[in-house]
Amino acid sequence: MITAQSDSEFLSEVVFDHFLARHSELPDWLVKQKQASWTEYLALPAPNRKMETWRFANVKGLGVEGFRLAPSLSEEDSQSLIENSQNVKETSGKLVFGNDDLVAEEALSEELSAKGVIFEPLERAFAKHPEILEEFFMAQESALGSEKFAAFHTALNRNGTLLFVPANVEIELPLVSYHWANGGESAVFPHTLVIAKDNSKVTFVDIYGSSDKESAQLACGVSTLYAGPGANVEYHYVQNWNEASLSFNRLTTVAERDSNITAYGLNLGSKHARNEGHTVIEGAGSNAEILSLTVAHKEQEIDQRTLQSHNAPNSRSNLLFKNALQDTSKTIFSGLIKVAEEAQLTDAYQTNRNLLLSPTAEANSLPGLEILANDVKCSHGATTGQIDDNELFYLLARGIDKPTAQKLLVFGFFEEILEKINNEELANYHRELVHQKFEIA
Amino acid sequence: MSVLEIENLKVNIDDKEILNGLSLTLPKGEVHAIMGPNGTGKSTLAKALAGHENYEITGGSATMNGEDILALEIDEIARAGLFLAFQYPVEIPGVSIANFIRAALNSRQEEDIDAVAYYKSLYAEMENLGIDRKFTSRSVNEGFSGGEKKRCEILQMAMLKPEFCILDETDSGLDVDALKVVAEGVNQMRGEERGILVITHYQRLLNYIVPDKVHIMMDGRIVKSGDKSLALEVEERGYDWIKEEIAAGV
């Protein structure tokens, strides 16, 4: 029966068997890992309002039962997604995924391949590079409440990006992956694994989007970045799922000795987005910049939880999350800096700034510190406010009309993040998206 | 009618009367100075004319070339030709000087200004005021020194070419070198097409921007007017003799 077949694709308790049957190509080690994760997923409780890690969140809207394993794309749909995957032109490599299938690929140059760089879709990498994936795939724990969703991801993921940069290799132009969800009720499980070995340098960009504006979709993604000793890793993610969608993302960043990590997040899409960002300082002398910009409108809920874990001395992490809220949108920022006893001479900062552009918008902020070392510099701060009257008066007093003045001030608020992006094409891409979103509202 | 005409202006802040019947006529082509002790309402006059909402007009009139500016919104007053150089220029994070001044110019014309022509004139004015070109991409006033802020005010004035300018304590926080640069910028803008009102606490500025008329302001209105020698007399004798004159009904 056709109905029975399509029912089995919905994300109920039995969907996993169906998934395994459909993907017999997956290697045994991975299937075992998936089976364990599925069991874990079923056993773990759903988020509820009593859980501190889900405080303020609208947990009622997080059910996944209405979504199904995303179907394969028609040739026509694939073509249209490929055409829309042109936002960053100057790249060293590009992957385009539609409903978790690889639909287009611009491979690395021969030069980079010869140096040992790996940039592969997971659908091939699971078979080709098991030595890397068995060690690094889903090797990090959830620390911020998403255990159930991480298990869900592990069980049902089948594609994404593996980017491996060997020691001393520097890649100038960014590598980019596009992840598209297509069609109503589609569930996708995008994955990113970046491993930058000693003294290497790389910029990687994830762009998440939907093929149309209305279809409700589910995205449950996990990204993990490893910056080896002395490595320089820049990561951008653009969360631009359509506003009917539910999205989860867990980003873990591990910084080893003397590494430099910069992560830029841009949150524009989803009806309800939950992002968890865990920065793990494992090596001395490392430096992490963690930046995020959110523009929320209508009834969007953007829920961001962060943890800066300092486990090694003499390192620095600096987090700046800025949210601009319109209409009845809602944001949650919950951030914690944890400094272990041995992490002396840590500099760790955490700032959350919320700009309320509507009296009915709601910004929640929960900053926190947990410091066991005694010689550290740490600060956290959160501000929530409207457009500053003095700033507005100054602009008006130059003859600039009120709507234009307000727009300039809001763009100025965004610029504090955008101006830190060194790659001009990426900066302008982010800028354009942010301005577009603000203009539409 | 090329004149800024203030008649019997009364202004309250939080129901407290700060200006109580101030009258002043500033014709184009002239530079007038207003001096007076602290707390006498000098900055209130500047902000009230610029249209600040916290300043409640309770009486009198203010017209610019015959147009009632008290009936206009803040941005309309500016576009009508009045420029206020702020005593404390406001920092605008994330908005570059170039974009800011361009937005101000665009607000005054139908078509957006040509980018090449704009940068050419901006660079010329910046050079004139000794402002490094790298400032074009810096956020307005953010992290500027006192002197840089005031020069940036004069830069805006030079770019917007207003008919009437009010310089509110432009000399405050400036060392002599910065003061000379700012004064030179203002002097270059003197001319038949413009009236300039310099509000200052100290006579020092008036050595560099020599006024055609000097007005002494006390308790919310102009109590004495004269030529530039009046400023020198205040410098030498303070304000008490004027108070005594008023008390004696001179």
Side-chain angles (χ1 to χ4, degrees):
Chain A
M1 262 169 64
I2 290 165
T3 42
Q5 232 169 12
S6 84
D7 277 355
S8 64
E9 307 240 334
F10 278 88
L11 304 178
S12 68
E13 295 202 2
V14 297
V15 74
F16 184 61
D17 291 336
H18 183 78
F19 172 85
L20 282 186
R22 204 166 114 175
H23 296 288
S24 54
E25 77 281 4
L26 299 169
D28 289 347
W29 66 266
L30 185 60
V31 171
K32 272 188 199 146
Q33 190 178 358
K34 283 178 178 300
Q35 279 164 336
S37 293
W38 184 251
T39 307
E40 192 189 352
Y41 164 69
L42 294 179
L44 284 167
N48 66 62
R49 45 175 64 234
K50 286 181 197 148
M51 296 174 173
E52 181 61 26
T53 50
W54 291 87
R55 206 172 151 199
F56 294 124
N58 169 25
V59 292
K60 277 188 191 154
L62 300 177
V64 300
E65 297 75 17
F67 302 97
R68 61 194 166 112
L69 297 174
S72 297
L73 296 179
S74 68
E75 186 58 26
E76 195 187 335
D77 284 343
S78 297
Q79 277 312 315
S80 119
L81 295 184
I82 293 166
E83 278 160 30
N84 288 325
S85 304
Q86 313 282 345
N87 303 105
V88 188
K89 298 217 160 47
E90 307 249 304
T91 67
S92 296
K94 176 163 106 175
L95 298 174
V96 181
F97 300 97
N99 282 1
D100 284 344
D101 285 324
L102 181 74
V103 296
E105 176 175 15
E106 279 171 24
L108 292 172
S109 66
E110 280 179 25
E111 191 197 344
L112 288 175
S113 298
K115 286 179 178 169
V117 178
I118 300 168
F119 182 56
E120 294 261 14
L122 288 181
E123 65 180 40
R124 289 205 304 262
F126 283 131
K128 263 173 97 174
H129 304 287
E131 72 292 350
I132 297 175
L133 289 161
E134 282 186 65
E135 183 181 349
F136 290 102
F137 180 71
M138 293 305 293
Q140 296 294 320
E141 300 283 316
S142 292
L144 290 155
S146 67
E147 291 79 0
K148 189 176 177 75
F149 295 98
F152 190 49
H153 171 90
T154 309
L156 297 177
N157 159 271
R158 58 190 178 84
N159 223 335
T161 309
L162 169 63
L163 172 58
F164 177 90
V165 188
N168 304 311
V169 174
E170 297 196 0
I171 306 177
E172 269 317 305
L173 294 174
L175 295 113
V176 184
S177 287
Y178 294 84
H179 306 264
W180 295 101
N182 187 85
E185 303 160 346
S186 289
V188 293
F189 299 86
H191 193 93
T192 294
L193 176 58
V194 176
I195 302 165
K197 301 301 274 186
D198 307 32
N199 306 311
S200 63
K201 186 179 173 205
V202 67
T203 299
F204 183 67
V205 184
D206 270 321
I207 298 172
Y208 305 103
S210 305
S211 56
D212 68 75
K213 288 194 164 74
E214 296 84 24
S215 307
Q217 296 158 344
L218 169 70
C220 179
V222 171
S223 302
T224 313
L225 316 173
Y226 291 93
N232 212 315
V233 176
E234 185 174 319
Y235 178 61
H236 298 251
Y237 66 88
V238 177
Q239 186 275 100
N240 204 12
W241 304 112
N242 72 27
E243 292 176 26
S245 293
L246 174 60
S247 72
F248 301 89
N249 193 273
R250 190 194 85 181
L251 168 65
T252 309
T253 306
V254 181
E256 292 191 48
R257 177 176 51 77
D258 298 323
S259 63
N260 260 302
I261 285 184
T262 312
Y264 299 93
L266 186 56
N267 272 291
L268 301 172
S270 302
K271 182 182 182 198
H272 186 150
R274 163 84 174 196
N275 290 346
E276 297 182 9
H278 186 191
T279 306
V280 190
I281 302 289
E282 281 299 343
S286 54
N287 182 27
E289 287 279 335
I290 311 139
L291 305 162
S292 163
L293 185 54
T294 296
V295 187
H297 69 180
K298 296 181 186 163
E299 294 176 334
Q300 283 186 296
E301 175 171 335
I302 312 288
D303 177 3
Q304 292 175 289
R305 317 270 164 160
T306 69
L307 173 59
Q308 293 151 265
S309 292
H310 280 259
N311 301 328
N314 211 16
S315 293
R316 177 181 169 276
S317 70
N318 181 33
L319 178 145
L320 174 61
F321 274 41
K322 299 191 88 169
N323 303 325
L325 297 90
Q326 296 168 293
D327 309 321
T328 52
S329 60
K330 173 176 169 181
T331 60
I332 301 163
F333 170 80
S334 168
L336 181 63
I337 296 174
K338 248 181 170 168
V339 182
E341 202 174 340
E342 59 272 26
Q344 297 294 358
L345 299 170
T346 286
D347 280 359
Y349 309 100
Q350 179 205 96
T351 310
N352 168 224
R353 299 211 184 289
N354 301 307
L355 179 61
L356 295 177
L357 297 166
S358 145
T360 48
E362 176 189 332
N364 302 279
S365 202
L366 293 160
L369 293 175
E370 204 177 293
I371 300 169
L372 298 176
N374 53 25
D375 188 8
V376 301
K377 270 190 242 165
C378 289
S379 73
H380 65 71
T383 57
T384 297
Q386 292 144 6
I387 285 181
D388 184 273
D389 284 343
N390 287 326
E391 293 176 16
L392 187 62
F393 176 68
Y394 191 68
L395 268 61
L396 294 171
R398 294 300 175 250
I400 300 169
D401 63 85
K402 202 165 180 178
T404 306
Q406 284 170 330
K407 198 167 97 177
L408 277 172
L409 292 173
V410 174
F411 287 2
F413 176 84
F414 300 147
E415 211 46 47
E416 191 183 358
I417 302 276
L418 298 171
E419 70 188 9
K420 291 184 202 246
I421 303 175
N422 292 321
N423 179 310
E424 202 173 329
E425 193 190 8
L426 282 174
N428 284 332
Y429 170 54
H430 286 232
R431 194 170 280 124
E432 199 182 298
L433 285 175
V434 167
H435 290 192
Q436 243 172 36
K437 169 101 186 242
F438 187 73
E439 304 269 16
I440 291 166
Chain B
M1 293 292 279
S2 294
V3 63
L4 176 64
E5 182 87 59
I6 305 160
E7 272 184 273
N8 201 26
L9 187 65
K10 295 183 177 182
V11 175
N12 281 10
I13 306 175
D14 296 333
D15 293 331
K16 187 169 179 249
E17 188 166 73
I18 307 294
L19 298 188
N20 62 25
L22 184 141
S23 297
L24 180 73
T25 303
L26 173 65
K28 274 191 192 170
E30 291 188 11
V31 173
H32 289 199
I34 292 185
M35 297 182 74
N38 277 334
T40 197
K42 300 192 296 295
S43 286
T44 296
L45 172 65
K47 289 267 181 68
L49 290 176
H52 197 292
E53 288 160 358
N54 292 358
Y55 298 78
E56 188 199 351
I57 313 288
T58 56
S61 69
T63 59
M64 196 162 63
N65 302 330
E67 185 178 10
D68 175 13
I69 59 171
L70 300 180
L72 300 178
E73 297 293 331
I74 305 161
D75 54 321
E76 293 170 334
I77 296 168
R79 290 198 298 272
L82 184 74
F83 182 90
L84 169 62
F86 282 53
Q87 180 178 7
Y88 303 108
V90 182
E91 299 191 3
I92 312 288
V95 179
S96 71
I97 287 184
N99 285 345
F100 173 56
I101 297 178
R102 181 152 61 173
L105 283 168
N106 284 340
S107 72
R108 287 163 168 76
Q109 48 202 43
E110 285 289 315
E111 300 229 339
D112 282 0
I113 187 169
D114 172 72
V116 176
Y118 168 63
Y119 274 97
K120 201 177 158 194
S121 66
L122 181 64
Y123 286 150
E125 295 295 354
M126 288 175 83
E127 196 174 317
N128 198 21
L129 288 162
I131 302 172
D132 194 291
R133 278 190 190 189
K134 67 173 189 262
F135 273 76
T136 46
S137 57
R138 282 188 59 179
S139 295
V140 176
N141 296 321
E142 197 177 42
F144 288 17
S145 69
E148 286 165 349
K149 282 183 181 171
K150 296 300 168 75
R151 265 189 272 182
C152 183
E153 293 292 291
I154 304 304
L155 172 66
Q156 293 165 43
M157 188 167 121
M159 289 297 292
L160 298 175
K161 300 185 172 47
E163 291 178 57
F164 292 94
C165 309
I166 302 173
L167 277 63
D168 188 8
E169 306 261 4
T170 292
D171 51 333
S172 68
L174 296 190
D175 61 28
V176 173
D177 291 332
L179 187 67
K180 281 181 183 168
V181 176
V182 166
E184 180 55 29
V186 175
N187 285 331
Q188 286 176 14
M189 294 198 62
R190 293 179 80 148
E192 288 307 311
E193 69 286 359
R194 188 164 294 119
I196 299 174
L197 184 62
V198 180
I199 294 174
T200 181
H201 192 64
Y202 298 104
Q203 192 272 335
R204 185 181 70 153
L205 177 66
L206 305 181
N207 288 335
Y208 301 99
I209 305 173
V210 180
D212 300 301
K213 267 191 177 172
V214 173
H215 307 278
I216 306 299
M217 189 168 168
M218 278 183 189
D219 299 327
R221 56 203 167 91
I222 305 294
V223 293
K224 191 175 178 69
S225 298
D227 62 14
K228 62 183 180 185
S229 65
L230 180 56
L232 292 167
E233 200 170 355
V234 165
E235 167 90 343
E236 200 177 311
R237 299 172 62 190
Y239 291 105
D240 285 350
W241 63 278
I242 302 175
K243 278 185 203 159
E244 284 158 19
E245 267 189 17
I246 298 166
V250 175

